[in-house]
Amino acid sequence: MKPKILRMLQRKDLTKEQIVKDIIAGIIVAIIALPLSIALGISSGVSPEKGLITAIIAGFFISFLGGSRVQIGGPTGAFVVIVYGIIQNYGLEGLILATIMAGIILVIMGFLKLGSVIKFVPHPITVGFTSGIAITLLSTQIKDLLGLKINNVPAEFFEKWQSYLTNIHSFNLSTFLVGLGSLLIIVLWPRINKTIPGSLIALIIATLAVKFLNLPVETIGSRFGEISSSLPAPKLEIVDLNTIKELFKPAMTIAILAAIESLLSAVVADGMIGGKHDSNMELVAQGVANITSGLFGGIPATGAIARTAANVKNNGRSPIAGMVHAVTLLLIMIVLMPLAKLIPMTSLAAILIVVSYNMGEWSTFKSLLKAPKSDVTVLITTFLLTVIFDLVVAIEIGMIFAMCLFMKRVADTTKIKGMINEIRNLEDNDSSLNLDNIDDMVLVYEINGPFFFGIVHKFMDVMNEIKPSAEVLVLDMKNANALDASAIDALERLYHRCENYKIKLLLANIQPQPKKVLQKMGFLNLIGKNSIFDSKEDALEASLNIATNKPLNGQTAIA
């Protein structure tokens, strides 16, 4: 586990030409991140400079220590609803502590090498909660877009909309027109210039319009007053164990979302540059970034897909771009932050409405509705739970649904099949043997697919149909590549049942994983080595020998 910047230095991958490109890319990304960081900070329920502090501190460490060449970190839209809810319940001090705790959890996850575990989160779940967060983020911007006079907007989705409808009489036309104009500029500006972000142009035009036309529109200054333009000194409050216990769930929520979003962003970046990130080092970097962000009074941070993509498109190819982005934001904050108080709140709302639309994977969401019903169920459930409740509930229940439906699909593919005329089809059968009733005496079954707890009931239903008059039961396990404790319990029950009916149980073609488990749990010793065969043919010859009680090809019958 090494930060990507160290690996690149050791391999001498950094050239002067690339460093220049990275510096330019970092400056461009900083310009893009400036309005976003301010808007995300305010929408999260904190003062605007805290969004910038997060982008500066966390953004630097995510690039400096990260496992991706091009990842850009900072506050993201996915955290807005979560952070707002934490502040409502626990205050700013609670949020800071939860952010630091989340950072510690992420560092532990990285050192435990849990980065690869994230890949087991099904695609419908990530699309479901991402789209759900997009809807909830959009809903948080309605107040500022319409200029509604509401002192405390509820955190819950339906209560929030009820509050909007109740206070719709306070609608401010000037505020709405400025917000609508900002929205149109953001959407249409890329047709004119793709280098300078439309959000920055919208902020400048809207700010000038409100200032010189003296429009009755709420600004950052009218809401927050004077804004600090310097980094605060790091500090850590002394907390008791009960507070830590109370904040563990919010901290885990932040950690899970940060892990998923940052690694998804890194995967997207890999596809764009043809590289490969170190997921465990990335988690460590995300953890350190959130710890330091919390110490400086910032909010949670993670890898930002849009800013990372902008970095790649502007030829950023090393972590230097991300570090330059953080330093540039620091310089902007020191020089220009006092002017930020003139920015209209409705323009920031317009920026985040575009962010919410872009983060919602709507085309993917639509295509997934054509997927199998199980995937559609997981998608819709995760989406609705994210909107109605929160991310943790959505992921927990979504994962439970996904796992149950996956196990059902696997169980449906596993077949317990009885084989007919297997003995009669043996080559070199002794023609003198009486095989009239041999199919009733020797029963052959194949297990095709994983043999686990989800298939045990089907297995036992088939085995319960075995007649006591049989002499031998052969289980061919050639296609049973996996076996668990429930399957062994079923085999033990079958063995004792066969023992009661004086039926000889033989196993054939035991694969490596099942053989190892059967050995460790003592089943092979229980059944005996003379009941285990490397091939089905050997087991069938032994079965014929037992059923006819005569030697076959010079062998002694198994008693």
Side-chain angles (χ1 to χ4, degrees), residues 239-319:
V239 293
D240 55 52
L241 187 59
N242 288 332
T243 304
I244 293 174
K245 287 180 180 178
E246 195 173 351
L247 289 170
F248 182 77
K249 183 180 177 182
M252 184 59 73
T253 303
I254 294 170
I256 291 172
L257 182 55
I260 292 174
E261 189 169 5
S262 63
L263 295 182
L264 284 176
S265 176
V267 169
V268 172
D270 286 347
M272 296 179 74
I273 65 173
K276 186 176 182 181
H277 72 281
D278 181 337
S279 58
N280 296 310
M281 192 65 236
E282 187 64 28
L283 288 182
V284 172
Q286 297 289 335
V288 173
N290 278 280
I291 292 170
T292 51
S293 177
L295 290 174
F296 280 88
I299 61 178
T302 185
I305 295 176
R307 275 159 273 175
T308 299
N311 181 34
V312 173
K313 290 176 182 177
N314 286 282
N315 298 312
R317 290 296 182 274
S318 83

XYZ file of all heavy atoms in Angstrom, residues 239-319:
571
model
N -14.630 14.466 24.207
C -15.991 13.906 24.207
C -16.028 12.663 25.092
O -15.010 12.023 25.349
C -16.451 13.542 22.777
C -16.627 14.790 21.937
C -15.464 12.594 22.105
N -17.229 12.343 25.551
C -17.379 11.146 26.387
C -17.800 9.958 25.545
O -18.159 10.086 24.373
C -18.390 11.396 27.515
C -19.734 11.871 26.977
O -20.285 11.205 26.088
O -20.229 12.920 27.435
N -17.759 8.796 26.158
C -18.043 7.541 25.462
C -19.483 7.481 24.974
O -19.760 6.954 23.891
C -17.755 6.361 26.393
C -17.850 4.963 25.779
C -16.872 4.823 24.623
C -17.602 3.892 26.839
N -20.426 8.030 25.732
C -21.842 8.009 25.341
C -22.066 8.786 24.044
O -22.855 8.376 23.192
C -22.719 8.590 26.453
C -22.814 7.656 27.643
O -22.698 6.444 27.487
N -23.015 8.208 28.832
N -21.370 9.922 23.893
C -21.488 10.720 22.669
C -20.958 9.945 21.474
O -21.549 9.956 20.387
C -20.720 12.048 22.822
O -21.202 12.743 23.969
C -20.904 12.918 21.587
N -19.839 9.253 21.676
C -19.257 8.445 20.600
C -20.219 7.343 20.177
O -20.417 7.096 18.988
C -17.901 7.850 21.039
C -16.871 8.977 21.209
C -17.397 6.823 20.039
C -15.546 8.527 21.781
N -20.842 6.686 21.168
C -21.814 5.627 20.862
C -22.989 6.191 20.068
O -23.470 5.585 19.114
C -22.318 4.985 22.151
C -21.307 4.084 22.835
C -21.910 3.495 24.105
C -20.910 2.586 24.817
N -21.481 2.034 26.087
N -23.444 7.377 20.471
C -24.604 7.999 19.830
C -24.298 8.389 18.387
O -25.168 8.333 17.514
C -25.027 9.227 20.636
C -26.405 9.750 20.289
C -26.852 10.857 21.218
O -26.159 11.105 22.230
O -27.895 11.469 20.939
N -23.046 8.769 18.123
C -22.665 9.233 16.796
C -22.107 8.130 15.909
O -21.714 8.387 14.773
C -21.629 10.355 16.917
C -22.149 11.689 17.461
C -20.997 12.632 17.757
C -23.116 12.329 16.471
N -22.072 6.893 16.425
C -21.469 5.817 15.649
C -22.241 5.546 14.348
O -21.649 5.375 13.284
C -21.381 4.527 16.473
C -20.728 3.398 15.726
C -19.347 3.356 15.561
C -21.487 2.381 15.152
C -18.747 2.335 14.855
C -20.899 1.351 14.452
C -19.518 1.326 14.307
N -23.580 5.533 14.452
C -24.378 5.272 13.240
C -24.193 6.360 12.188
O -23.955 6.049 11.011
C -25.855 5.108 13.599
C -26.716 4.761 12.392
C -28.182 4.590 12.753
C -29.013 4.308 11.512
N -30.459 4.176 11.815
N -24.306 7.671 12.543
C -24.032 8.698 11.535
C -22.625 8.584 10.953
O -22.426 8.782 9.747
C -24.199 10.008 12.314
C -25.094 9.677 13.442
C -24.787 8.267 13.812
N -21.641 8.263 11.811
C -20.264 8.118 11.323
C -20.150 6.966 10.345
O -19.474 7.068 9.306
C -19.318 7.912 12.507
N -20.813 5.865 10.651
C -20.784 4.709 9.743
C -21.471 5.044 8.427
O -21.016 4.610 7.354
C -21.471 3.516 10.418
C -21.404 2.229 9.591
S -19.713 1.699 9.224
C -19.211 1.098 10.837
N -22.537 5.829 8.492
C -23.216 6.269 7.266
C -22.261 7.059 6.385
O -22.159 6.818 5.172
C -24.437 7.146 7.614
O -25.309 6.430 8.468
C -25.178 7.558 6.349
N -21.553 8.015 6.987
C -20.595 8.821 6.230
C -19.503 7.940 5.640
O -19.131 8.083 4.464
C -19.974 9.904 7.146
C -21.039 10.913 7.579
C -18.826 10.617 6.439
C -20.575 11.868 8.672
N -18.991 6.999 6.442
C -17.895 6.133 5.984
C -18.330 5.256 4.815
O -17.597 5.115 3.823
C -17.402 5.262 7.141
N -19.518 4.670 4.911
C -20.002 3.790 3.837
C -20.171 4.571 2.547
O -19.724 4.141 1.473
C -21.338 3.127 4.253
C -21.112 2.113 5.372
C -21.995 2.448 3.047
C -22.393 1.561 5.958
N -20.816 5.736 2.643
C -21.041 6.533 1.441
C -19.717 7.027 0.857
O -19.515 6.999 -0.361
C -21.950 7.713 1.752
C -22.309 8.616 0.567
C -22.919 7.802 -0.572
C -23.247 9.723 0.991
N -18.802 7.471 1.715
C -17.502 7.942 1.235
C -16.747 6.818 0.530
O -16.125 7.038 -0.519
C -16.680 8.486 2.401
N -16.795 5.626 1.098
C -16.097 4.484 0.494
C -16.689 4.143 -0.866
O -15.960 3.994 -1.858
C -16.177 3.279 1.432
N -18.006 4.034 -0.924
C -18.656 3.643 -2.173
C -18.445 4.699 -3.248
O -18.031 4.374 -4.378
C -20.167 3.402 -1.945
C -20.375 2.161 -1.070
C -20.892 3.217 -3.288
C -21.817 1.928 -0.678
N -18.693 5.965 -2.900
C -18.607 7.008 -3.925
C -17.172 7.220 -4.407
O -16.925 7.399 -5.598
C -19.187 8.324 -3.393
C -19.311 9.367 -4.493
C -20.107 10.582 -4.094
O -20.506 10.682 -2.921
O -20.332 11.445 -4.956
N -16.210 7.187 -3.476
C -14.821 7.416 -3.877
C -14.311 6.285 -4.766
O -13.611 6.534 -5.753
C -13.929 7.556 -2.644
O -13.916 6.364 -1.883
N -14.664 5.047 -4.432
C -14.183 3.919 -5.242
C -14.908 3.849 -6.589
O -14.302 3.458 -7.595
C -14.338 2.615 -4.464
C -13.454 2.520 -3.205
C -13.626 1.176 -2.515
C -11.989 2.746 -3.542
N -16.186 4.233 -6.615
C -16.883 4.315 -7.900
C -16.237 5.385 -8.781
O -16.042 5.185 -9.988
C -18.359 4.636 -7.681
C -19.262 3.508 -7.183
C -20.672 4.035 -6.930
C -19.299 2.357 -8.167
N -15.904 6.518 -8.180
C -15.249 7.590 -8.919
C -13.895 7.122 -9.444
O -13.522 7.413 -10.590
C -15.068 8.809 -8.007
O -14.355 9.830 -8.677
N -13.149 6.386 -8.615
C -11.837 5.877 -9.037
C -11.970 4.889 -10.193
O -11.136 4.883 -11.113
C -11.130 5.214 -7.855
N -13.013 4.068 -10.156
C -13.251 3.111 -11.253
C -13.563 3.848 -12.552
O -13.060 3.499 -13.625
C -14.398 2.138 -10.891
C -14.832 1.334 -12.111
C -13.968 1.205 -9.767
N -14.412 4.879 -12.455
C -14.728 5.699 -13.638
C -13.459 6.333 -14.189
O -13.216 6.342 -15.405
C -15.772 6.782 -13.279
C -15.946 7.759 -14.439
C -17.110 6.140 -12.936
N -12.618 6.864 -13.291
C -11.365 7.493 -13.714
C -10.436 6.485 -14.384
O -9.782 6.803 -15.386
C -10.672 8.127 -12.507
N -10.385 5.266 -13.840
C -9.556 4.214 -14.458
C -9.963 3.983 -15.902
O -9.121 3.815 -16.786
C -9.695 2.902 -13.678
C -8.942 2.935 -12.354
O -8.122 3.853 -12.165
O -9.183 2.042 -11.524
N -11.275 3.951 -16.125
C -11.770 3.746 -17.485
C -11.400 4.878 -18.425
O -11.185 4.663 -19.622
N -11.293 6.083 -17.895
C -10.992 7.253 -18.726
C -9.506 7.340 -19.086
O -9.147 7.821 -20.163
C -11.419 8.534 -18.006
C -12.917 8.644 -17.779
S -13.389 10.157 -16.893
C -13.174 11.375 -18.181
N -8.626 6.880 -18.168
C -7.181 7.007 -18.423
C -6.507 5.671 -18.691
O -5.304 5.629 -18.971
C -6.473 7.695 -17.235
C -6.552 6.820 -15.969
C -7.051 9.072 -16.976
C -5.731 7.342 -14.811
N -7.275 4.576 -18.610
C -6.678 3.260 -18.835
C -5.732 2.863 -17.716
O -4.738 2.166 -17.942
N -6.016 3.293 -16.492
C -5.159 2.988 -15.353
C -5.825 2.035 -14.379
O -6.867 1.450 -14.665
N -5.192 1.876 -13.209
C -5.746 1.013 -12.176
C -5.423 1.611 -10.811
O -4.262 1.869 -10.506
C -5.160 -0.401 -12.278
C -5.803 -1.381 -11.307
C -5.269 -2.786 -11.503
C -5.959 -3.765 -10.540
N -5.435 -5.142 -10.681
N -6.450 1.839 -10.016
C -6.236 2.446 -8.706
C -6.029 1.382 -7.638
O -6.378 0.213 -7.827
C -7.431 3.331 -8.336
C -8.666 2.551 -7.990
N -9.507 1.995 -8.940
C -9.205 2.228 -6.782
C -10.499 1.375 -8.343
N -10.348 1.497 -7.034
N -5.466 1.786 -6.506
C -5.313 0.928 -5.332
C -6.463 1.255 -4.387
O -6.456 2.289 -3.725
C -3.952 1.204 -4.670
C -3.708 0.312 -3.452
O -4.681 -0.188 -2.862
O -2.530 0.133 -3.081
N -7.458 0.389 -4.338
C -8.680 0.688 -3.576
C -8.419 0.808 -2.081
O -9.034 1.638 -1.398
C -9.745 -0.375 -3.851
O -9.265 -1.664 -3.511
N -7.514 0.002 -1.540
C -7.254 0.062 -0.103
C -6.511 1.344 0.284
O -6.829 1.974 1.291
C -6.447 -1.167 0.328
C -7.225 -2.453 0.120
O -8.369 -2.577 0.527
N -6.621 -3.414 -0.551
N -5.542 1.752 -0.539
C -4.841 3.009 -0.277
C -5.797 4.187 -0.437
O -5.697 5.184 0.294
C -3.666 3.148 -1.250
C -2.693 4.260 -0.892
S -1.831 3.966 0.666
C -2.221 5.418 1.603
N -6.736 4.056 -1.357
C -7.729 5.116 -1.555
C -8.602 5.277 -0.312
O -8.919 6.401 0.098
C -8.589 4.806 -2.779
C -9.546 5.900 -3.181
C -8.838 7.180 -3.619
O -7.693 7.097 -4.114
O -9.426 8.256 -3.447
N -8.975 4.169 0.313
C -9.778 4.246 1.538
C -8.998 4.908 2.670
O -9.550 5.708 3.440
C -10.231 2.846 1.968
C -11.313 2.176 1.119
C -11.672 0.821 1.706
C -12.564 3.040 1.025
N -7.715 4.579 2.782
C -6.879 5.207 3.808
C -6.814 6.721 3.581
O -6.952 7.517 4.510
C -5.465 4.595 3.813
C -4.547 5.390 4.741
C -5.508 3.139 4.254
N -6.613 7.109 2.315
C -6.542 8.533 1.981
C -7.862 9.236 2.302
O -7.875 10.350 2.853
C -6.196 8.709 0.507
N -8.978 8.591 1.957
C -10.288 9.174 2.272
C -10.459 9.326 3.780
O -11.024 10.320 4.260
C -11.407 8.281 1.713
C -11.430 8.126 0.203
C -11.865 9.381 -0.509
O -12.567 10.208 0.049
N -11.441 9.537 -1.760
N -9.963 8.344 4.540
C -10.061 8.411 5.986
C -9.254 9.562 6.561
O -9.759 10.347 7.373
N -7.985 9.679 6.141
C -7.133 10.777 6.619
C -7.745 12.121 6.227
O -7.740 13.083 7.011
C -5.707 10.633 6.042
C -4.862 11.862 6.385
C -5.046 9.375 6.572
N -8.294 12.200 5.003
C -8.902 13.448 4.521
C -10.080 13.859 5.395
O -10.244 15.039 5.739
C -9.352 13.278 3.075
N -10.911 12.902 5.787
C -12.070 13.234 6.623
C -11.657 13.563 8.055
O -12.278 14.423 8.697
C -13.080 12.087 6.595
C -13.975 12.131 5.378
O -14.939 12.873 5.327
N -13.643 11.342 4.363
N -10.625 12.905 8.560
C -10.128 13.245 9.902
C -9.620 14.684 9.922
O -9.984 15.478 10.801
C -9.008 12.271 10.325
C -9.586 10.861 10.544
C -8.330 12.759 11.605
C -8.525 9.788 10.735
N -8.795 15.024 8.948
C -8.233 16.387 8.913
C -9.304 17.428 8.603
O -9.287 18.532 9.162
C -7.110 16.479 7.873
O -7.565 15.967 6.610
C -5.894 15.679 8.306
N -10.251 17.094 7.752
C -11.353 18.016 7.463
C -12.131 18.324 8.737
O -12.461 19.474 9.032
C -12.284 17.424 6.402
O -13.391 18.266 6.158
N -12.415 17.280 9.522
C -13.123 17.476 10.787
C -12.322 18.307 11.769
O -12.870 19.162 12.469
N -11.016 18.074 11.833
C -10.166 18.835 12.757
C -10.158 20.324 12.426
O -10.043 21.173 13.313
C -8.738 18.282 12.724
C -8.533 16.892 13.348
C -7.102 16.417 13.113
C -8.851 16.899 14.837
N -10.287 20.662 11.139
C -10.303 22.061 10.716
C -11.719 22.632 10.634
O -11.923 23.722 10.124
C -9.606 22.216 9.364
C -8.103 22.238 9.449
C -7.374 21.059 9.409
C -7.420 23.432 9.593
C -5.991 21.072 9.500
C -6.037 23.460 9.679
C -5.317 22.273 9.640
N -12.709 21.863 11.114
C -14.083 22.353 11.124
C -14.819 22.154 9.826
O -15.865 22.770 9.595
N -14.294 21.276 8.946
C -14.937 21.018 7.661
C -16.011 19.954 7.750
O -16.362 19.478 8.843
N -16.554 19.598 6.609
C -17.619 18.598 6.520
C -17.084 17.361 5.817
O -15.959 17.363 5.308
C -18.852 19.172 5.791
C -18.493 19.593 4.345
C -19.435 20.335 6.567
C -19.671 20.130 3.548
N -17.850 16.255 5.737
C -17.363 15.035 5.086
C -16.993 15.258 3.619
O -17.585 16.093 2.930
C -18.551 14.076 5.211
C -19.310 14.568 6.390
C -19.166 16.045 6.371
N -16.011 14.491 3.167
C -15.532 14.603 1.786
C -15.365 13.218 1.193
O -15.239 12.224 1.902
C -14.202 15.343 1.748
N -15.347 13.179 -0.113
C -15.098 11.928 -0.833
C -14.633 12.271 -2.240
O -14.519 13.445 -2.605
C -16.376 11.063 -0.885
O -16.067 9.805 -1.501
C -17.478 11.739 -1.673
N -14.355 11.248 -3.035
C -13.996 11.481 -4.423
C -15.188 12.014 -5.193
O -16.301 11.500 -5.052
N -14.965 13.063 -5.978
C -16.054 13.702 -6.731
C -15.938 13.314 -8.204
O -14.963 13.684 -8.865
C -15.986 15.209 -6.574
N -16.928 12.588 -8.700
C -16.854 12.058 -10.061
C -16.769 13.179 -11.095
O -15.948 13.126 -12.017
C -18.067 11.142 -10.340
C -18.010 9.903 -9.434
C -18.087 10.712 -11.800
C -19.198 8.992 -9.557
N -17.600 14.227 -10.952
C -17.631 15.300 -11.958
C -16.299 16.042 -12.003
O -15.760 16.323 -13.078
C -18.777 16.255 -11.658
N -15.748 16.383 -10.812
C -14.474 17.103 -10.781
C -13.322 16.213 -11.233
O -12.375 16.686 -11.863
C -14.232 17.646 -9.360
C -14.910 18.986 -9.101
C -15.098 19.253 -7.628
N -16.352 18.680 -7.144
C -16.728 18.676 -5.874
N -15.933 19.199 -4.954
N -17.879 18.153 -5.523
N -13.401 14.922 -10.914
C -12.371 13.990 -11.383
C -12.395 13.890 -12.905
O -11.343 13.899 -13.568
C -12.593 12.593 -10.763
O -12.499 12.694 -9.341
C -11.561 11.600 -11.261
N -13.604 13.815 -13.482
C -13.736 13.762 -14.941
C -13.204 15.035 -15.589
O -12.536 14.996 -16.630
C -15.192 13.537 -15.324
N -13.490 16.182 -14.960
C -12.974 17.455 -15.489
C -11.455 17.483 -15.453
O -10.801 18.000 -16.376
C -13.544 18.607 -14.674
N -10.872 16.925 -14.417
C -9.417 16.838 -14.304
C -8.823 16.024 -15.454
O -7.857 16.435 -16.104
C -9.059 16.210 -12.952
C -7.565 16.093 -12.742
O -6.788 16.935 -13.185
N -7.147 15.043 -12.065
N -9.432 14.872 -15.717
C -8.946 14.002 -16.802
C -9.083 14.685 -18.154
O -8.164 14.650 -18.984
C -9.713 12.656 -16.788
C -9.335 11.811 -18.004
C -9.434 11.890 -15.501
N -10.228 15.331 -18.383
C -10.471 15.989 -19.676
C -9.528 17.156 -19.925
O -9.290 17.545 -21.063
C -11.930 16.466 -19.746
C -12.926 15.319 -19.853
C -14.362 15.812 -19.824
C -15.345 14.649 -19.886
N -16.764 15.114 -19.779
N -8.972 17.710 -18.833
C -8.017 18.813 -18.980
C -6.572 18.334 -18.845
O -5.685 19.108 -18.498
C -8.326 19.901 -17.954
C -9.561 20.704 -18.318
O -9.515 21.575 -19.176
N -10.677 20.397 -17.672
N -6.369 17.023 -19.107
C -5.029 16.416 -19.195
C -4.329 16.246 -17.855
O -3.103 16.091 -17.814
C -4.126 17.212 -20.150
C -4.667 17.230 -21.571
O -5.036 16.189 -22.106
N -4.741 18.411 -22.166
N -5.070 16.274 -16.756
C -4.478 15.919 -15.472
C -4.230 14.423 -15.428
O -5.126 13.639 -15.707
N -2.997 14.026 -15.072
C -2.664 12.600 -15.072
C -1.895 12.173 -13.825
O -1.389 11.053 -13.777
C -1.842 12.242 -16.319
C -2.618 12.283 -17.619
C -3.730 11.253 -17.677
N -4.438 11.257 -18.942
C -5.448 12.049 -19.231
N -5.886 12.914 -18.318
N -6.054 11.982 -20.398
N -1.777 13.053 -12.852
C -1.081 12.681 -11.624
C -1.739 13.383 -10.444
O -2.492 14.355 -10.620
C 0.404 13.062 -11.713
O 0.584 14.428 -11.380
N -1.457 12.916 -9.220
C -2.034 13.562 -8.030
C -1.635 15.022 -7.863
O -2.251 15.741 -7.064
C -1.471 12.708 -6.883
C -1.214 11.372 -7.488
C -0.745 11.666 -8.883
